[in-house]
Amino acid sequence: MVALVRTVAYLGLEARGVEVQCQIAPGLPRFNLVGLPDKAVNESRERVHAALAAMGLSLPPKRITINLSPADLPKEGSHYDLPIALALLAAMGVTDAEQLGDFVAVGELALDGRIVASPGVLLAAIHAAGEGVGLICPAVQGSEAAWASGVAVVPAPNLTSLLNHLKGTQQLPQPVPGEAEPARFGPDLKQVKGQEVAKRALEIAAAGGHNLLMIGPPGAGKSLLASCLPGILPPLSPAEALEVSMVASVAGTLEEGRISRARPFRSPHHSASMAALTGGGLRVKPGEVSLAHLGVLFLDELPEFQRAVLDSLRQPLETGSVDVARANAHVTFPARVQLVAAMNPCRCGHLGDPALACSRAPRCAADYQAKVSGPLLDRIDLHVDVDPVSAADLSLPPPAEGSAEVGARVAAARKVQAARMEGTGKRCNAELDGDRLELHATPDEPGRKLLLQAAEAMRLSARGYTRMLRVARTIADLAGVEGVGRIHVAEALSYRRVAPRN
């Protein structure tokens, strides 16, 4: 007899069905596990053996073969423990093999028989709902699985209670979805004194989802401005919150099934590797750019990042996704992020102050800024200089307008953009392209002439030209006007600078 149990393999945000087949046949006692298992899956033999022993069960002295089908699909992770144990128990006649066919099972086993958390339960629940079957998962992740509508979830704390539930002698409670956390905000814009140009650029970036680069000396407030951005962004919609939570589930960072309406804000250190930033590793995991999906990726001290690491962001910024190619797998993660970067004008940081600048100025500035490649700078819509704040500015009372007022304007502009892009799957002006870009962002005749003159003088690439149209469209949306005029184009061009030649 061959017992079958369903489970899943994770490829990016896709859960593919896997069938765990168990056969117990006469022969020398042996426990074989086949089907391209990785180290963690191979070690499940020991965890399953110990968990069954904790229940008072011993393996039969026969040849046990576990096959993970399809055999050519790599199997990674500890969530195969539970389906392997259930297939083995069904083959031994301890539980009903036919009943298990109505469930997908995921979960890691502890040596004492407890079923402990494993990454990706939300994806497994969505897969089970699509297949029309239930889900058996760790009890601590029941509230996470319950977010997938239309699936019967069996949250089991241990193997014993799960077997009793399947036999009908015990009833495990149905889980409820975890709490939907309200959006959490960082510092208020009222804390930023002065820097009116930078605050205006931040508002435009938030309204249209544009990438932003701030250049200024140390202590000018670049990091504070970036941390204010989540406070003026609209909260995630329910569909967006579920999408972001799927990435967090695969990464194993979704705590207690709580789905947040706050947009992600990720700020990796400049020592981050390419795999940490874009995803990958021995077991492919989403990187910072995917963990910031539909949110903000803040890169402070931009030139201090390795150049190859920064250039790996080119494709995600353009396409909104990351393709991690390996010899045995090809994984895609979503990465629709808003890049906010900050940098000093030179290594010492005081290029504009003759009293503090180093002796190599201005050559040091050219060398320092050249660490960031031109193609990456070309993908950043807004470039703004953040000047140092004087003591006189700091002594002034807080500005009257804070994050609430700016956020209201941003929300109104985003609402207009959502109506404009209804049915396209896109969300904001930063994603505007094709016929809709031509229709909605083409400026009037004076604006078109100005843009053509500037494109010639600034040597804008085709990408840069398109991004200027998008920024001008956002400025017009903030002003509440239908058409893009010369004044909107002029302001958009004021935030563009020529990329340094490397």
Side-chain angles (χ1 to χ4, degrees), residues 328-501:
N328 57 358
H330 189 95
V331 178
T332 300
F333 292 111
R336 182 63 67 183
V337 300
Q338 184 173 355
L339 175 66
V340 176
M343 61 181 285
N344 296 327
C346 59
R347 182 166 292 281
C348 70
H350 299 287
L351 180 67
D353 190 341
L356 297 175
C358 67
S359 60
R360 294 189 64 244
R363 180 62 185 173
C364 65
D367 293 342
Y368 190 67
Q369 295 183 28
K371 292 183 177 182
V372 184
S373 69
L376 179 62
L377 290 173
D378 199 36
R379 287 167 168 82
I380 299 179
D381 308 322
L382 304 169
H383 300 242
V384 61
D385 291 320
V386 182
D387 297 325
V389 182
S390 66
D393 287 332
L394 293 175
S395 64
L396 295 174
E401 190 174 72
S403 294
E405 293 78 10
V406 176
R409 291 197 297 268
V410 169
R414 286 282 185 119
K415 187 176 180 180
V416 171
Q417 295 166 44
R420 180 183 298 139
M421 300 183 189
E422 187 176 3
T424 65
K426 299 181 179 180
R427 302 173 176 88
C428 56
N429 284 337
E431 303 174 49
L432 199 61
D433 59 9
D435 293 339
R436 289 182 181 266
L437 177 68
E438 193 76 23
L439 176 64
H440 299 290
T442 299
D444 58 15
E445 188 60 25
R448 189 183 69 85
K449 288 182 178 179
L450 176 61
L451 184 56
L452 288 175
Q453 292 170 0
E456 192 73 26
M458 300 172 70
R459 298 182 180 179
L460 290 180
S461 65
R463 180 188 294 114
Y465 183 91
T466 300
R467 288 180 178 270
M468 284 301 94
L469 286 176
R470 294 170 179 165
V471 174
R473 177 66 266 174
T474 299
I475 295 171
D477 288 339
L478 284 170
V481 298
E482 182 66 28
V484 177
R486 178 184 173 91
I487 189 172
H488 309 126
V489 173
E491 185 175 1
L493 290 169
S494 70
Y495 298 115
R496 191 75 182 183
R497 53 193 283 163
V498 180
R501 294 183 180 179

Side-chain angles (χ1 to χ4, degrees), residues 10-12 38 74 76-77 273-288 290 322-331 333:
Y10 303 119
L11 291 177
D38 74 342
E76 299 177 343
S273 66
M274 189 180 300
L277 200 61
T278 60
L282 184 61
R283 288 182 55 199
V284 180
K285 290 286 187 181
E288 292 290 331
S290 295
V322 173
D323 294 314
V324 182
R326 294 290 184 269
N328 57 358
H330 189 95
V331 178
F333 292 111

Side-chain angles (χ1 to χ4, degrees), residues 148-442:
S149 59
V151 59
V153 180
V154 179
N158 53 63
L159 270 178
T160 302
S161 60
L162 174 59
L163 293 177
N164 290 335
H165 175 87
L166 294 174
K167 291 177 180 178
T169 59
Q170 179 182 350
Q171 188 68 32
L172 293 175
Q174 270 289 320
V176 296
E179 295 181 2
E181 295 181 347
R184 301 183 302 275
F185 302 128
D188 195 282
L189 275 174
K190 288 185 177 181
Q191 299 179 26
V192 182
K193 296 184 178 181
Q195 307 297 6
E196 297 305 320
V197 174
K199 286 193 282 188
R200 171 64 175 171
L202 195 71
E203 179 180 346
I204 295 170
H210 303 291
N211 301 325
L212 171 66
L213 172 64
M214 295 178 285
I215 304 175
K222 303 185 295 295
S223 298
L224 177 59
L225 282 163
S227 62
C228 290
L229 182 56
I232 62 176
L233 288 171
L236 294 168
S237 68
E240 289 175 334
L242 185 62
E243 193 174 337
V244 170
S245 298
M246 289 169 65
V247 180
S249 177
V250 172
T253 59
L254 195 62
E255 298 179 358
E256 299 178 7
R258 292 195 299 267
I259 289 183
S260 176
R261 297 289 301 277
R263 292 188 179 272
F265 183 87
R266 306 290 297 189
S267 180
H269 190 260
H270 58 74
S271 62
S273 66
M274 189 180 300
L277 200 61
T278 60
L282 184 61
R283 288 182 55 199
V284 180
K285 290 286 187 181
E288 292 290 331
V289 71
S290 295
L291 293 172
H293 179 55
L294 299 182
V296 178
L297 177 65
F298 177 49
L299 301 183
D300 200 5
E301 307 296 346
L302 187 67
E304 300 298 334
F305 284 81
Q306 298 178 44
R307 183 160 183 164
V309 172
L310 288 180
D311 286 341
S312 68
L313 291 175
R314 293 187 199 175
Q315 182 239 3
L317 292 178
E318 200 70 27
T319 64
S321 63
V322 173
D323 294 314
V324 182
R326 294 290 184 269
N328 57 358
H330 189 95
V331 178
T332 300
F333 292 111
R336 182 63 67 183
V337 300
Q338 184 173 355
L339 175 66
V340 176
M343 61 181 285
N344 296 327
C346 59
R347 182 166 292 281
C348 70
H350 299 287
L351 180 67
D353 190 341
L356 297 175
C358 67
S359 60
R360 294 189 64 244
R363 180 62 185 173
C364 65
D367 293 342
Y368 190 67
Q369 295 183 28
K371 292 183 177 182
V372 184
S373 69
L376 179 62
L377 290 173
D378 199 36
R379 287 167 168 82
I380 299 179
D381 308 322
L382 304 169
H383 300 242
V384 61
D385 291 320
V386 182
D387 297 325
V389 182
S390 66
D393 287 332
L394 293 175
S395 64
L396 295 174
E401 190 174 72
S403 294
E405 293 78 10
V406 176
R409 291 197 297 268
V410 169
R414 286 282 185 119
K415 187 176 180 180
V416 171
Q417 295 166 44
R420 180 183 298 139
M421 300 183 189
E422 187 176 3
T424 65
K426 299 181 179 180
R427 302 173 176 88
C428 56
N429 284 337
E431 303 174 49
L432 199 61
D433 59 9
D435 293 339
R436 289 182 181 266
L437 177 68
E438 193 76 23
L439 176 64
H440 299 290
T442 299

Side-chain angles (χ1 to χ4, degrees), residues 96-121:
D96 185 5
E98 187 175 345
Q99 185 182 14
L100 290 174
D102 296 330
F103 294 95
V104 168
V106 291
E108 179 182 332
L109 287 179
L111 299 184
D112 58 0
R114 288 179 295 115
I115 304 174
V116 297
S118 62
V121 166

